[in-house]
Amino acid sequence: MGIFKFKQFSVDDGRSAMKIGTDAVLLGAWTCIDGMSAIVDAGCGSGVISLMLAQRSHNDTKIIAVDVNHEACLDATDNIAISTWKNRVEVIEADITDFFPKCSHPMLIISNPPFFNEKLQSPDSSRALARHGVDFGVKELINLAASHFISVDDSLAFIAPSSRDDEIEFMLSLKRLSPRRRCRVFSRKGKKPIRTLWQVGIEGQGCGPTICEDLFIRDMDNNLTSQYISLTNDFYLDK
């Protein structure tokens, strides 16, 4: 689609199968990263989430961006190379279900996973893979976290359609993971939620109740809400 200019960095997604959208920006702005030693961006695409978290995190937080798609990795590598955080973000071209990078704990796995379930898939194979989750989707992401979490402070953050909330709760329970934070996203007040932001960790004592939130992007008059503007203010140029 072109070059997107944020307040502290720019992102070119011209070669990536999936383009920058509101979902990625919401996830990158909303996710709690306090105390994380390492961040793994699973399915990093053009690298926008990695760059957002580099902007938000401390200088000693290592960020590893992983994608199976060669063109996406080229975009991510170029975008990171011209950023302030080029020495803190590493791009790896790999299938993260087969190769998981070594990193310190506590760690955060973050992903804007594919979740489109239409029967008619895109004729572009790379876009079909990104959109339909042929090889990597929410289920695989949850399995990945369950396999690599070793600390109660390890965390997984992702975004998914709100219509899948019950299914995701069930999948998490099967892997002994539980929500720490959950935010329903509404395109406009008066509408049904369209997305849910999740941040989950290992089940255990002392975790406390799930923090539940609602986020409205626009109000009844179709104006951006102060809530949405506040969340994205550090990134969007016009906020």
Side-chain angles (χ1 to χ4, degrees):
M1 290 178 66
I3 298 176
F4 288 78
K5 294 186 180 295
F6 294 86
K7 285 184 176 177
Q8 296 190 38
F9 59 89
S10 296
V11 177
D12 186 343
D13 64 0
R15 291 169 291 193
S16 301
M18 288 305 295
K19 306 307 179 183
I20 296 171
T22 303
D23 287 356
V25 176
L26 284 174
L27 182 63
W30 174 83
T31 299
C32 179
I33 59 174
D34 294 344
M36 295 299 164
S37 296
I39 296 171
V40 179
D41 183 359
C44 65
S46 59
V48 62
I49 292 177
S50 292
L51 287 166
M52 291 179 71
L53 297 191
Q55 177 181 321
R56 293 181 55 209
S57 59
H58 297 296
N59 289 334
D60 57 353
T61 303
K62 177 65 176 179
I63 300 173
I64 305 169
V66 184
D67 205 293
V68 70
N69 183 271
H70 179 65
E71 299 299 318
C73 288
L74 291 177
D75 273 348
T77 299
D78 289 348
N79 292 328
I80 290 161
I82 61 171
S83 76
T84 305
W85 312 283
K86 61 184 178 182
N87 295 325
R88 289 183 48 213
V89 185
E90 177 184 5
V91 179
I92 298 175
E93 182 179 338
D95 182 344
I96 199 167
T97 59
D98 293 328
F99 171 83
F100 192 86
K102 293 182 179 179
C103 55
S104 54
H105 296 260
M107 71 169 177
L108 167 71
I109 301 173
I110 188 167
S111 183
N112 177 19
F115 45 69
F116 291 81
N117 296 315
E118 304 98 331
K119 294 181 179 179
L120 180 62
Q121 296 193 3
S122 168
D124 182 329
S125 60
S126 62
R127 186 169 177 82
L129 175 62
R131 286 179 61 88
H132 298 277
V134 175
D135 292 328
F136 184 74
V138 174
K139 180 180 179 180
E140 289 73 23
L141 184 63
I142 291 171
N143 291 341
L144 187 74
S147 298
H148 294 282
F149 282 2
I150 62 174
S151 165
V152 70
D153 295 319
D154 287 338
S155 185
L156 166 67
F158 61 95
I159 188 169
S162 295
S163 60
R164 296 188 65 181
D165 282 358
D166 290 343
E167 175 194 358
I168 289 171
E169 286 269 19
F170 180 68
M171 288 192 290
L172 290 171
S173 67
L174 290 178
K175 295 297 179 179
R176 298 188 182 277
L177 300 175
S178 62
R180 301 284 196 270
R181 300 171 66 224
R182 183 172 57 199
C183 179
R184 297 186 303 171
V185 180
F186 299 76
S187 61
R188 184 176 175 179
K189 288 188 175 181
K191 301 286 187 179
K192 292 182 178 179
I194 55 172
R195 298 284 187 269
T196 301
L197 293 156
W198 297 83
Q199 188 151 13
V200 308
I202 298 172
E203 284 183 350
Q205 294 182 349
C207 294
T210 303
I211 298 173
C212 297
E213 308 166 279
D214 287 341
L215 171 64
F216 297 91
I217 296 177
R218 294 186 179 273
D219 60 23
M220 296 294 288
D221 296 321
N222 207 34
N223 298 311
L224 292 175
T225 64
S226 58
Q227 184 186 22
Y228 175 75
I229 291 172
S230 177
L231 179 65
T232 59
N233 183 62
D234 290 339
F235 301 102
Y236 284 135
L237 285 171
D238 58 348
K239 302 293 185 297

